[in-house]
Amino acid sequence: MERLKVLPGNPWDLGAVYIGSGVNFCVFSRNATAVYLELFKKSDDSASSCTIKLDPKINRTGDLWHVFIEGLKPGALYLFRVDGPFEPKNGHRFNKDIFLYDPRAKALTDGSLFKNLNFQKVCPLEKMPKCVVVDELAYDWEDDQPLKTPLNESIIYEMHLKGFTASPSSEVKFPGTYRGAIEKIPYLKKLGITAVELLPVQEFDAFENMNTNPKTGKRLVNYWGYSTTAFFAPKAAYSSDKSPGACVDEFKDMVKAFHKAGIEVILDIVFNHTAEGNEHGITFSFRGFDNSVYYQLVSTNKEYYVNFSGCGNALNCNHPVVQEYIIGCLRYWVRVMHVDGFRFDLASVLSRDENGFLTLEAPLTRRISEDPLLRDVKIIAEPWDCGGAYQVGSFPGGRWCEWNDKFRDGIRRFIRGDEKLSTEAATRISGSSDLYSSSGRRPYHSINYIASHDGFTMNDLVSYNYRHNEQNGEENRDGTDNNLSYNNGFEGPTLNPKIEKNRIRQIKNFFVALFLSQGTPMFVCGDEVQRSQNGNNNPYCQDNEISWFDWNDIKKHGDLLNFVKKLIELRRNHRVFMRDDFFKGQKTATQTSPADINWFNIEGFTPDWAKLDRFLAFRLGGGITESDSKSDNDFYIAFNTDSHDGTVTVPPPSDGKKWYRVLDTSIENEECILSEGNEELLINQEKYVILAGSAIVLISK
């Protein structure tokens, strides 16, 4: 450190920025009286090797504190300390004795703060991860470019980065890491998905969870990662190379490899709160830099935190300073890390003003939508929060996509066989125009899903009536009771072949509804091979076989995997399933081709929607094209969710064509779904017996 030269620095990009001759450090704090930069030689140092006190007369411009350390190199380790008033009732929680992460740290060293807290809720310095200086321009991206896959052509695969390859059954060289994911790209490419949506990979502390598993006695963890500690830093524990900062290049290697395979990378990002918790929480970053700016506090007593996230605090997202922070973070992940989009957890927090009220003119969501650097990336909202906000169909800000839980719940109930759900299912399958058309959005702004990380897997939807979260250490009180599931007569795994056949058929029905609906389909990792969580619908804390992808399931459930692959291929080969706009109905019919969509009852007539029950059928007219699409085949799709078989009257195809069977979920072997060119010509072109609890798809050729 003796060769380092301390200069005033500049108030440009915040964080630690390497510019060749040294590193410029810049942090925000409006109410601090002093800022200290602490440099370290090793990650396990118990004391800093150099303390640099920033002089407010020299090292402060407005609310920005800055210093340039000439001679400092990438890989250098650092933390901050910040002094100022400790007045919780006024929102200030400064403490010059607490070491802090740079809110814009590009990487942390591997380790855990929470695991090593003492009884005073302080982590010994030698155990505390350190911030790492990263040269963001040194990486060779080769010719990597954004894929920009259109939303209507996208198929999203939600997966946990570690859980994808953590199981020994994965047989990868680097299980549970960015490199491990690279090794399994051929599987994803063959599956046919166009994007992976990764559960949080921004740095979080898995040992934040203090509960223990009552069955094993082992300490549970925060496995999902929805509690961020450093928003600019990829999680070091997911890197096979544990040297300081190596996680950055390894993450980039993964993104580049995904792009070469034609697969986009979408990050699940958690701007609604941080891991610092409520008034009894831990200070390690934002709270120590300027608590009164970064967090929403109770106006009458700023000692307490507003808790729209359900996790103790809520970021003050529409404060101009916090807006700049969030925009800067998103830009970094796009510009420097080359990601293709973001899914925003509990995104309604982002649309609350500084007083906590929901606003349709939320500055932040509008800025994200309109930001020139972010215009080509996918932005997906989970349009609700834990403070009572629910904005499905009305999330503010323009071009936002939304997780559509109305699709999830409506299709779950319809396929389960609930009464009077045909109209709801028709609305969801045709793109949820009731939610999105009035705001000028399109069907593809609806992210359609049956199951996600949060809740039952698709297999467990047909195998359990009740949650089984006993191993979460919360006496089975966590998770939802509203699963809309049906166990088909037995709770959990069974050797009864009839029950198992019913379950597999229902899963196939779910996939048919998912992939042949208008909108952007998303499914969760492992649903294509009947991955089970043993009835646990909230395994946020289970970093084990409950949550991991079991690669033995590929052979065990190869029939379902083959079905899903072919169904994805069917969707991607036919524009009628990937429309850019909503259906226009009968007015699109011509003398030579049917309307873009027609609905039918079982007798082949236009349905009386008030009476239609446990049945839904429609014909997609391939001759009706949109401005940028080519003509396609006609398709007839029908669902019989009743407990009785039915004989449907099939409408006529376009002139000169005949109906061929593409799939019938009642067929149990590989003939269940036929590949393109091998469809089965129907002997009877007017009638088809659709068995109870089944779906069929016909194509006209």
Side-chain angles (χ1 to χ4, degrees), residues 164-165 170-175 177-187:
F164 187 50
T165 62
S170 70
E171 297 182 343
V172 299
K173 188 175 181 181
F174 303 103
T177 66
Y178 305 118
R179 286 189 182 178
I182 293 173
E183 292 183 67
K184 290 298 186 181
I185 286 177
Y187 171 81

Side-chain angles (χ1 to χ4, degrees), residues 579 581-589 595-597 624 626:
R579 291 178 56 87
D581 209 344
F582 294 103
F583 293 110
K584 295 179 173 61
Q586 195 57 40
K587 63 183 179 181
T588 62
D596 53 11
I597 192 168
I624 303 302
E626 295 167 295

